């Protein structure tokens, strides 16, 4: 039937729907309802570790999830303050690690 | 031995109530003692689709709470004498249905009828859970469209985990009823293919009901489509479906488009 679809000059959308569903449901079946909780927990703990060493702004943290067929990616983007300043200092041996102030978030 | 059947979907608007009425009527037309039960408390519609809306006196809630006897609430269909309906109420009190009360009513219905068909409300909340709780079999009504398939998958998961049978470690028989199927769009590759839906949900196919103005006409009239136009394509699909429900091995006809008319051209075997 693809020749019909070509007449309309568009690729048929049904196979795309099928593939999207298969990927989505593969994840939902494995994860059940714990998935979002897991991500929230991961995010919280990862940020905690980073906060021990760096002062980070909560608003500058971006979290993305990309679920694929074989591999899923949890991407956490954190904007680190004064990175340029740090890099400049990195060449000096007397680099002090700043103690971050406890954030009141 | 009475069978309790739930008609469920997760998503709203896919055709649960229409299908409950049509399957219930079809089974009754073949001489079975059937009751259709509306579990959609607060938004009752089964009585309307069945044309019994003006005859409701007592309802499921009254029976569950002990204000009325089951026999007082059951409405016997005027067209098919072996068909009855137990309507839902308009109450908005979500806690009006108690698990104990529902268990008792289903038990009483099992003694009176061959088939107890429960029309589930949409969603995955308490009402939907109560509707499926006592089921021996389930029909998952699905449209060939992504959100409907996704919700059906969720419902299948619930059927396998939260129901009475699941808790006893027994299997609940599940069937897929594909509704609002548009042969023309399927042929153009604009609609999820039946095979794809079956592969994704991996439950056996009970039937394919084509999108049809006959279904709308039936609900306008308040007459299940198997009674309003028994030879129409959707009615034939429902008649085929009940034969499979009763265990008959029967190939599912896929409605195919032919110059704007539904022709049941080729046959396929049920997965």
């Amino acid at each position: 039937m693809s020749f019909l679809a070509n007449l309309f000059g568009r690729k048929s959308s049904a196979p795309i729907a099928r593939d999207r569903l298969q990927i989505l449901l593969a994840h939902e079946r494995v994860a059940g309802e714990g998935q979002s909780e897991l991500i929230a927990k991961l995010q919280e703990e990862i940020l905690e570790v980073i906060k021990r060493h760096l002062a980070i702004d909560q608003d500058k943290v971006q979290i993305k999830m990309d679920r694929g067929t074989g591999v899923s990616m949890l991407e956490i983007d954190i904007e680190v303050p004064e990175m340029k300043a740090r890099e400049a200092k990195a060449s000096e041996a007397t680099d002090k690690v700043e103690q971050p102030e406890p954030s009141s978030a | 031995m009475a069978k309790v059947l739930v008609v469920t979907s997760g998503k709203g608007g896919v055709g649960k109530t229409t299908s409950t009425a049509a399957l219930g009527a079809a089974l009754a037309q073949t001489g079975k003692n059937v009751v259709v039960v509306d579990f959609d408390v607060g938004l009752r519609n089964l009585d309307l689709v069945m044309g019994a809306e003006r005859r409701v006196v007592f309802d499921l809630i009254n029976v569950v709470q002990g204000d009325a006897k089951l026999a007082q609430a059951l409405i016997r269909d005027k067209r098919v004498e072996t068909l009855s309906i137990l309507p839902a109420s308009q109450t908005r009190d979500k806690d009006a249905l108690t698990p104990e009360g529902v268990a008792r009513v289903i038990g009483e219905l099992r003694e009176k009828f061959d088939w107890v068909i429960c029309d589930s409300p949409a969603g995955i909340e308490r009402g939907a859970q109560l509707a499926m709780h006592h089921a021996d079999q389930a029909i998952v009504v699905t449209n060939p469209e992504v959100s409907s398939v996704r919700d059906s998958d969720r419902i299948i998961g619930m059927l396998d985990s939260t129901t009475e049978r699941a808790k006893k470690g027994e299997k609940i028989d599940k069937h897929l009823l594909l509704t609002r199927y548009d042969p023309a769009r399927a042929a153009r590759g604009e609609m999820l293919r039946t095979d794809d839906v079956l592969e994704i949900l991996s439950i056996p196919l009970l039937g394919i009901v084509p999108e049809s103005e006959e279904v709308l006409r039936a609900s306008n009239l308040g007459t299940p489509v198997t009674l309003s136009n028994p030879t129409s394509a959707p009615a034939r699909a429902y008649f085929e479906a009940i034969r499979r429900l009763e265990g008959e091995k029967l190939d599912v006809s896929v409605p195919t488009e032919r110059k704007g008319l539904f022709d049941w051209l080729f046959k396929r075997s049920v997965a």
Side-chain angles (χ1 to χ4, degrees):
Chain A
M1 287 296 172
S2 59
F3 70 91
L4 269 177
N6 289 337
L7 281 181
F8 291 95
R10 286 196 311 181
K11 283 194 69 159
S12 63
S13 56
I16 299 167
R18 179 197 59 214
D19 295 346
R20 289 176 59 222
L21 270 170
Q22 277 174 327
I23 291 168
L24 172 70
L25 294 178
H27 285 280
E28 286 189 346
R29 285 169 190 165
V30 172
E33 292 173 12
Q35 179 91 11
S36 52
E37 284 168 35
L38 172 71
I39 289 177
K41 216 177 199 60
L42 278 174
Q43 170 194 331
E44 194 185 331
E45 292 187 13
I46 289 169
L47 289 181
E48 226 165 77
V49 168
I50 293 167
K51 272 188 201 162
R52 274 187 225 153
H53 302 283
L54 293 171
I56 50 174
D57 183 348
Q58 280 291 359
D59 299 337
K60 301 273 168 76
V61 178
Q62 291 222 344
I63 288 141
K64 289 187 205 139
M65 183 80 191
D66 188 7
R67 299 183 173 92
T69 27
V71 179
S72 296
M73 294 246 296
L74 175 66
E75 214 176 297
I76 304 186
D77 259 334
I78 303 165
E79 194 172 308
V80 176
E82 299 164 27
M83 205 61 196
K84 284 203 172 74
R86 292 181 157 278
E87 279 167 3
K89 281 186 185 172
S91 53
E92 300 171 20
T94 55
D95 191 11
K96 291 190 302 231
V97 174
E98 293 168 21
Q99 279 298 321
E101 293 167 26
S103 67
S104 55
Chain B
M1 186 63 200
K3 293 199 185 86
V4 177
L5 173 72
V6 65
V7 178
T8 182
S9 74
K11 191 171 189 290
V14 295
K16 282 185 295 294
T17 302
T18 305
S19 297
T20 301
L23 293 164
L27 280 162
Q29 282 164 277
T30 58
K32 297 286 185 300
N33 268 312
V34 181
V35 62
V36 288
V37 186
D38 192 350
F39 269 86
D40 204 348
V41 171
L43 293 171
R44 64 170 210 225
N45 279 314
L46 187 59
D47 53 332
L48 192 60
V49 171
M50 299 276 296
E53 72 278 9
R54 291 163 64 181
R55 300 168 60 205
V56 176
V57 183
F58 293 113
D59 56 57
L60 177 64
I61 304 282
N62 297 131
V63 182
V64 163
Q65 298 191 329
D67 308 330
K69 292 251 185 305
L70 179 59
Q72 294 174 304
L74 286 170
I75 302 167
R76 182 168 290 194
D77 193 276
K78 284 182 169 168
R79 298 149 302 204
V80 191
E81 61 171 18
T82 54
L83 178 62
S84 299
I85 169 174
L86 182 53
S89 82
Q90 295 276 46
T91 179
R92 290 199 294 178
D93 178 10
K94 276 203 161 81
D95 302 326
L97 285 181
T98 61
E100 302 75 27
V102 170
R104 180 176 52 82
V105 172
I106 295 283
E108 283 183 51
L109 291 170
R110 274 183 193 273
E111 287 167 23
K112 280 180 184 268
F113 296 95
D114 302 321
W115 284 92
V116 180
I117 307 180
C118 306
D119 184 21
S120 170
I124 51 173
E125 304 300 318
R126 200 162 166 273
Q129 293 213 359
L130 279 172
M132 68 168 64
H133 195 76
H134 299 280
D136 305 311
Q137 298 193 38
I139 292 178
V140 182
V141 183
T142 307
N143 297 163
E145 170 275 323
V146 286
S147 56
S148 173
V149 175
R150 181 198 198 171
D151 292 355
S152 291
D153 192 73
R154 186 79 188 275
I155 286 286
I156 290 168
M158 280 172 60
L159 286 164
D160 285 334
S161 62
T162 68
T163 53
E164 187 74 22
R165 270 181 174 247
K167 284 176 179 154
K168 280 194 273 181
E170 294 169 8
K171 281 218 70 69
I172 187 162
D173 276 334
K174 299 174 292 291
H175 312 270
L176 179 74
L177 186 66
L178 209 55
T179 52
R180 312 197 72 162
Y181 181 88
D182 184 335
R185 297 189 64 201
R188 290 199 298 268
E190 293 171 3
M191 198 176 232
L192 273 167
R193 294 180 43 217
T194 308
D195 290 357
D196 290 339
V197 178
L198 283 172
E199 189 191 341
I200 288 164
L201 296 177
S202 57
I203 57 173
L205 183 63
L206 188 73
I208 303 173
V209 184
E211 179 76 59
S212 162
E213 57 200 27
E214 283 302 324
V215 174
L216 183 59
R217 183 172 165 267
S219 67
N220 288 346
L221 298 173
T223 309
V225 73
T226 52
L227 283 165
S228 66
N229 188 349
T231 57
S232 64
R236 288 207 303 260
Y238 285 119
F239 279 122
E240 265 190 30
I242 61 155
R243 286 168 63 188
R244 279 185 215 100
L245 263 186
E246 296 195 300
E248 201 175 319
K249 289 266 181 283
L250 188 68
D251 282 355
V252 174
S253 327
V254 180
T256 51
E257 180 75 2
R258 223 177 151 213
K259 296 192 185 91
L261 289 169
F262 293 125
D263 265 41
W264 304 72
L265 273 184
F266 58 95
K267 302 267 182 182
R268 66 187 299 282
S269 46
V270 184

